Amino acid sequence: MQSPSGCPVKYIICQLKQIVKYENRPGTTRNGNIMAVAKKLPSGSWRCQVYSHTEEIPQPDGTVKKKRIYESFTNDDPTTRGKRQCEKQAADWAANKEHYLKKNNLNLTFRQAIDKYINFRDSILSATTISDYNS
């Protein structure tokens, strides 16, 4: 039996089952957006990972590998309260992702990164090391 569009009805039913399965999985909201779901680690802590961005890494053969970068959140409380707190941290970060990425200055020049490092480690670095970095 075929549908009016020409596709077998069995195929359409199979596709609908996959969609329903995807929409009803843990961490999916009503509108289909995927939320972070905390997973329990062997230590008893909870961990959530939220997609941050993709980095392009050039390979020796000339191709470019796209690596997905995730932000990780953990909570040491082994109870369900710890799970909820971990998921809340991840959701807060995801809601304000652009703000956090701008705050971390991902678009620094090399000189700005060196200056930032020197200011951060000023009390530890020797004067010679700082002058070497600045030259």
Side-chain angles (χ1 to χ4, degrees), residues 43-59:
S43 64
S45 299
W46 293 96
R47 179 181 71 183
C48 273
Q49 291 182 313
V50 181
Y51 171 76
S52 175
H53 62 282
T54 303
E55 290 182 357
E56 293 184 353
I57 302 170
Q59 299 297 309

Side-chain angles (χ1 to χ4, degrees), residues 44-91:
S45 299
W46 293 96
R47 179 181 71 183
C48 273
Q49 291 182 313
V50 181
Y51 171 76
S52 175
H53 62 282
T54 303
E55 290 182 357
E56 293 184 353
I57 302 170
Q59 299 297 309
D61 63 356
T63 60
V64 177
K65 178 182 176 185
K66 293 185 179 182
K67 182 177 179 182
R68 293 174 59 96
I69 305 298
Y70 292 86
E71 193 71 26
S72 182
F73 301 91
T74 56
N75 192 303
D76 294 333
D77 186 354
T79 64
T80 55
R81 181 179 181 194
K83 179 181 180 179
R84 286 192 309 268
Q85 289 174 347
C86 186
E87 289 172 344
K88 183 182 181 307
Q89 286 177 330

Side-chain angles (χ1 to χ4, degrees), residues 69-130:
I69 305 298
Y70 292 86
E71 193 71 26
S72 182
F73 301 91
T74 56
N75 192 303
D76 294 333
D77 186 354
T79 64
T80 55
R81 181 179 181 194
K83 179 181 180 179
R84 286 192 309 268
Q85 289 174 347
C86 186
E87 289 172 344
K88 183 182 181 307
Q89 286 177 330
D92 289 343
W93 186 88
N96 300 312
K97 180 166 73 168
E98 289 80 19
H99 170 72
Y100 288 116
L101 292 177
K102 284 180 185 175
K103 184 178 176 184
N104 289 337
N105 296 325
L106 293 177
N107 296 324
L108 289 177
T109 64
F110 186 67
R111 181 76 247 167
Q112 291 170 333
I114 289 175
D115 291 340
K116 191 173 183 179
Y117 175 77
I118 290 171
N119 290 336
F120 182 70
R121 300 291 228 160
D122 194 21
S123 60
I124 299 171
L125 298 173
S126 69
T128 307
T129 303
I130 293 173

Side-chain angles (χ1 to χ4, degrees), residues 16-54:
L16 288 173
K17 283 181 181 177
Q18 287 180 350
I19 291 170
V20 170
K21 187 183 198 182
Y22 177 80
E23 288 178 350
N24 292 334
R25 73 178 192 196
T28 306
T29 62
R30 285 186 193 177
N31 61 2
N33 292 336
I34 297 174
M35 297 175 13
V37 177
K39 293 185 181 180
K40 196 158 196 167
L41 301 174
S43 64
S45 299
W46 293 96
R47 179 181 71 183
C48 273
Q49 291 182 313
V50 181
Y51 171 76
S52 175
H53 62 282
T54 303

